[in-house]
Amino acid sequence: VVIVGAGQAGFQAAASLRMEAYDAPITLIGEEPSLPYQRPPLSKGFLEGKQNVGNVELRPDAYYRDHKIDLISGSEVIRINRANRSVELRSGQRFPYETLILAIGSRVRKLSVKGAELDEVCYLRTLDDAIRIRQRLETARDIVVVGGGFIGLEVAAVARSMGKSVAVVEAQSRLMPRAVAPVISDFYQELHLGHGVQIHLATVVREIAAGQVFLSDGSAHKADLVIVGIGVLPNVELAQDGGLTVADGIVVDEYLRTEDSNIYAIGDCAQHPNPFAGQSTRIESVQNAVDQARCVAANIAGRGEPYRAVPWFWTDQFDIKLQMVGLSGGSVHLVTRGNPTSRKFSVFYFKEDRLAAIDSINRPGDHLVGRKLLAAGTALTPDQAADERLDLKSLQQQA
Ligand code: NAD
């Protein structure tokens, strides 16, 4: 097996193959020079200096030797030769494969305004990006964060906790609009404002120049550091050049296999049929990367099962943990359980009266039960969700 991409999905595919007792050669090829690492801490504890490189590495060096995983770091695969089943590195080196797993992830969307190329403008995706931002945070005083999504808000919370002046600029009319309901966006707006973060909604950057960021609402902010988190784009070019079908991602079936039965695609780069979305979709999350890797490893080991893991996500900002389960997009009926002013509540999302997702703020119990209810397809009505006297666990037990 050759695995292209040594992020969370690629690493997990190699590790799970060995756990499946797959004993043929495994080559794991990564573009970055480092050992495979976890990304979630990069916008949280790592930026704050609470974690270091050793803490974010998924496994130490010895793991790859001990498990006979041939890790090739700092190497870019530039071509897939499907006719002779091999991949080619930029160096010209070739690796033959029997099975190829594409775990090539996504890359940051770039800001395209005047001044976006200036040195003080940073993106956060890789370990090197995080090291660079962490160094700059030591001396920076005024920070403008572009994008009020996960990256932007997690970074804003860290920077503000360090006492920096922070302004967040979000193009849409509310925070985290891609992922959560307005009630959650409002909660986060209050949270950030309460900590002294300035927020500009429905606003974009017009220009960055001479230590200032000029916004579309006419305001200007001093900035010695600009951190941009305006989403990611799936890496599909390698697959496309290899003649595979791509749409929003590399198109795979429910077994995560492309139209070439020797090639799988997993993680951020894969557009897959997802029972919780009710359609083909692409999911950017650690859970999806890990579970798709496990699914492909099982398929290669001959225990073929379709991918049907329950999607879940989380974000930590200041002292608040938001846990999300299911896919809320397209939900029409929303029910709040608990009271937002208590800083402990959940939003239940229903599509055609079926539970679709739950977002929980400081209510881990709701999240854990939600994972089980969604996995089992247990019926829950909006009235039951709203009734705090009903123990959700009892429904799960009945089911
Ligand atoms: P995102 O999609 O979560 O948020 C991007 C935000 O930028 C959106 O709210 C969007 O409306 C806004 N935006 C887009 N263009 C803009 C512009 N020109 N000006 C101002 N705002 C603009 O993406 P992200 O925050 O960049 O995160 C990148 C990836 O990392 C995503 O896949 C995300 O899921 C992942 N991530 C996840 C977590 C988590 O789950 N806790 C944390 C960090 C990153």
Side-chain angles (χ1 to χ4, degrees), residues 39-40 43-44 106-113 124-125 145-155 168-179 200 203-205 228-232 268 282-286 312-317 322 324:
R39 287 190 208 284
S43 50
K44 309 177 182 83
S106 52
R107 58 178 178 271
V108 292
R109 272 190 63 216
K110 293 279 178 93
L111 197 61
S112 57
V113 297
L124 178 45
R125 181 79 192 159
V145 173
V146 186
F150 288 120
I151 286 279
L153 294 179
E154 288 182 3
V155 169
V168 173
V169 182
E170 165 58 48
Q172 302 290 316
S173 56
R174 59 188 183 86
L175 297 175
M176 296 188 282
R178 182 175 66 88
H200 296 262
T203 306
V204 292
V205 173
V228 183
I230 57 170
V232 293
D268 278 19
R282 200 173 59 74
I283 297 183
E284 298 162 7
S285 76
V286 171
W312 56 267
F313 319 79
W314 83 97
T315 176
D316 295 323
Q317 297 169 34
L322 168 62
M324 297 154 269

Side-chain angles (χ1 to χ4, degrees), residues 3 5-15 28 58 101-105 266-268 286 288-290 292-294:
I3 304 166
Q8 187 93 49
F11 160 78
Q12 188 64 50
L28 175 60
L58 283 156
I101 303 175
L102 298 174
I104 51 183
I266 56 173
D268 278 19
V286 171
N288 184 64
V290 170
Q292 290 200 333
R294 289 178 176 148

